[in-house]
Amino acid sequence: MMRYSLSILFFALVSLPQSFAIGGPTCLSFTSTQYAIATESNPATIWIDSSDWPGVHRAALDLQNDLEKVTGKRPSILNITLSSNSPTISDLNRQTGSRSSSSSIPIIIGTLGRSNLINLAQQSSTNLKPKLTAIQGKWEAGVSEVIKNPISGVTAAYVIVGADKRGTIYGIYDFLEQAGVSPWYWWADVPYKPHSKIYALPNASCSHGSPSVKYRGIFLNDEQPALTDWVIEKFSNGTSASRPPFNRFFYSKVFELLLRLKANYLWPTMWNSAFGVDDPLNQFTADYYGIVMSTSHQEPMLRSSPVEWYQFGSGQWNWDHNRENLTKFWTDGVKRGSPYESVYTLGMRGTGDLPLDESGNIDLLQRVVAGQREIITSVFNKNASE
């Protein structure tokens, strides 16, 4: 019965002229409003500042590619370069030219404190400034709506601005979901919904505040055999290795899905794999996309266990009898993750996810955690509680 109920609901939703992203408001329409974003004669135009986060630029390319599949026409991206000290309208006009007076409105993308284009808009637009002030400093918050006169000489634009990089990225993917692109387009082969025309609704806001749960994500647990066998088939590129190819090419698909679903956090695979070692670019790629990495309950301090311990460790997996080697092993893990957004799991399980001590030795666990906090304090040169 549930299957038929969901089918009826799905049919009702896709039959509506407006577009809805699951769980949120809508700001787009496929019937005419005064704010055309893409039409049969005018593909969409995307403005982004060259100084913005690399992950925001990557998501903007997804916006370009996906809108082409939806509308049949490839949007143009204007990669605008403005002075960080004193961006000016004249500098902007030289790069946008007559596009600012087009019959369609541009999509302006940017991150507060990072995009010189948004800094210019914040300075010059009385309509936009209070909205940006409202999200300033708020974790993953964003503005996403039509703004009149966002910049001098621009009558209106669909503005997507984040308080941080994920705030901007979430705004981009929310826009795409409303336009007809499922977050599951790759993983579940959900087809794009074609629309030759996309309009923005007046007086509608798809802005979002900070999420109630700061870190939201998944754990790729018990990946053997199903996921592992599939990854070997799809991502090994015909090569053989001692461990499955859970590399940046696989994880980039996971990272993108997480962002499209408004998640930000991942515990990677652990059976016979090591995220930070199997591909030296795994951690860099996660940070590039905007995903916070951590490790599971039995893999403290961002190091795979037992895989990395067997490869790089020395001696027993025993704090009281091998503290020096474990300290070095965990310190290296903290240092390796320090350039990136990381969450360090504390504690210690026994080898193979068995109990650390059959007697339930709480004092032992407290000593382990105290030692790990000392490592974090030493590496980051500040108290672990901060």
Side-chain angles (χ1 to χ4, degrees):
M1 182 65 185
M2 178 62 73
R3 178 181 300 173
Y4 296 113
S5 299
L6 289 174
S7 298
I8 293 170
L9 175 61
F10 176 77
F11 177 79
L13 287 174
V14 298
S15 299
L16 292 174
Q18 295 179 5
S19 172
F20 292 84
I22 295 174
T26 182
C27 290
L28 301 184
S29 175
F30 307 121
T31 57
S32 180
T33 74
Q34 68 264 47
Y35 300 121
I37 292 175
T39 65
E40 291 172 336
S41 57
N42 286 307
T45 301
I46 301 162
W47 294 8
I48 187 170
D49 193 279
S50 60
S51 63
D52 216 318
W53 292 101
V56 172
H57 279 270
R58 192 209 58 78
L61 290 175
D62 282 347
L63 178 62
Q64 181 186 43
N65 293 330
D66 286 357
L67 283 181
E68 181 181 16
K69 292 180 175 67
V70 169
T71 66
K73 292 186 179 297
R74 188 164 182 80
S76 59
I77 292 184
L78 296 185
N79 195 8
I80 296 166
T81 301
L82 298 173
S83 168
S84 59
N85 296 323
S86 55
T88 65
I89 296 296
S90 59
D91 287 341
L92 176 64
N93 289 340
R94 277 195 294 271
Q95 296 176 65
T96 59
S98 61
R99 296 173 187 267
S100 59
S101 58
S102 171
S103 59
S104 59
I105 64 173
I107 304 168
I108 297 179
I109 295 170
T111 307
L112 277 176
R114 183 80 181 195
S115 167
N116 296 325
L117 176 61
I118 298 307
N119 291 344
L120 177 63
Q122 191 171 22
Q123 295 166 16
S124 62
S125 173
T126 56
N127 294 329
L128 183 57
K129 186 173 183 177
K131 296 179 182 292
L132 300 185
T133 300
I135 65 168
Q136 187 87 40
K138 294 184 178 179
W139 176 268
E140 297 179 346
V143 171
S144 186
E145 59 187 85
V146 171
I147 300 291
K148 296 178 181 178
N149 303 309
I151 300 173
S152 177
V154 180
T155 304
Y158 193 94
V159 175
I160 300 173
V161 180
D164 53 30
K165 64 180 175 182
R166 277 189 295 273
T168 309
I169 292 168
Y170 292 155
I172 292 171
Y173 285 135
D174 181 71
F175 182 99
L176 280 172
E177 191 171 359
Q178 292 184 56
V181 183
S182 168
W184 296 93
Y185 79 96
W186 191 85
W187 285 95
D189 296 322
V190 179
Y192 292 84
K193 295 181 177 65
H195 300 286
S196 60
K197 303 175 183 178
I198 299 176
Y199 299 87
L201 293 171
N203 305 315
S205 176
C206 292
S207 301
H208 58 277
S210 295
S212 56
V213 178
K214 188 169 186 177
Y215 295 108
R216 310 163 309 281
I218 60 173
F219 173 20
L220 297 178
N221 193 16
D222 293 338
E223 68 273 10
Q224 176 68 26
L227 180 60
T228 297
D229 290 349
W230 179 80
V231 165
I232 290 172
E233 177 185 343
K234 301 297 184 183
F235 292 94
S236 64
N237 196 30
T239 61
S240 60
S242 59
R243 293 200 289 267
F246 287 108
N247 52 38
R248 64 189 182 278
F249 305 108
F250 162 75
Y251 277 113
S252 65
K253 298 296 186 182
V254 177
F255 300 153
E256 182 189 328
L257 176 65
L258 291 174
L259 293 171
R260 287 180 184 261
L261 294 173
K262 312 295 189 297
N264 62 6
Y265 185 76
L266 180 66
W267 281 5
T269 59
M270 53 171 286
W271 283 40
N272 195 30
S273 62
F275 180 80
V277 175
D278 292 341
D279 185 336
L281 290 178
N282 274 345
Q283 285 184 291
F284 169 84
T285 304
D287 196 68
Y288 166 64
Y289 271 75
I291 296 298
V292 182
M293 291 304 303
S294 187
T295 41
S296 73
H297 59 288
Q298 75 154 45
E299 302 174 292
M301 308 295 272
L302 219 63
R303 298 216 73 167
S304 170
S305 170
V307 174
E308 282 195 68
W309 177 250
Y310 289 156
Q311 185 173 350
F312 302 107
S314 176
Q316 294 178 286
W317 181 257
N318 185 302
W319 179 252
D320 284 340
H321 295 107
N322 199 22
R323 175 171 178 165
E324 182 178 350
N325 285 324
L326 278 165
T327 296
K328 182 182 183 306
F329 177 73
W330 285 336
T331 299
D332 290 343
V334 174
K335 288 179 178 178
R336 187 176 64 193
S338 62
Y340 313 115
E341 279 192 282
S342 305
V343 173
Y344 297 96
T345 302
L346 302 186
M348 189 177 185
R349 290 281 289 163
T351 302
D353 201 17
L354 295 173
L356 180 61
D357 184 284
E358 293 290 349
S359 66
N361 190 337
I362 301 301
D363 288 340
L364 171 58
L365 185 59
Q366 288 176 334
R367 292 195 298 276
V368 170
V369 171
Q372 291 169 337
R373 288 170 64 87
E374 289 176 3
I375 292 170
I376 292 172
T377 296
S378 173
V379 172
F380 289 99
N381 197 30
K382 62 182 181 180
N383 193 287
S385 61
E386 301 174 13

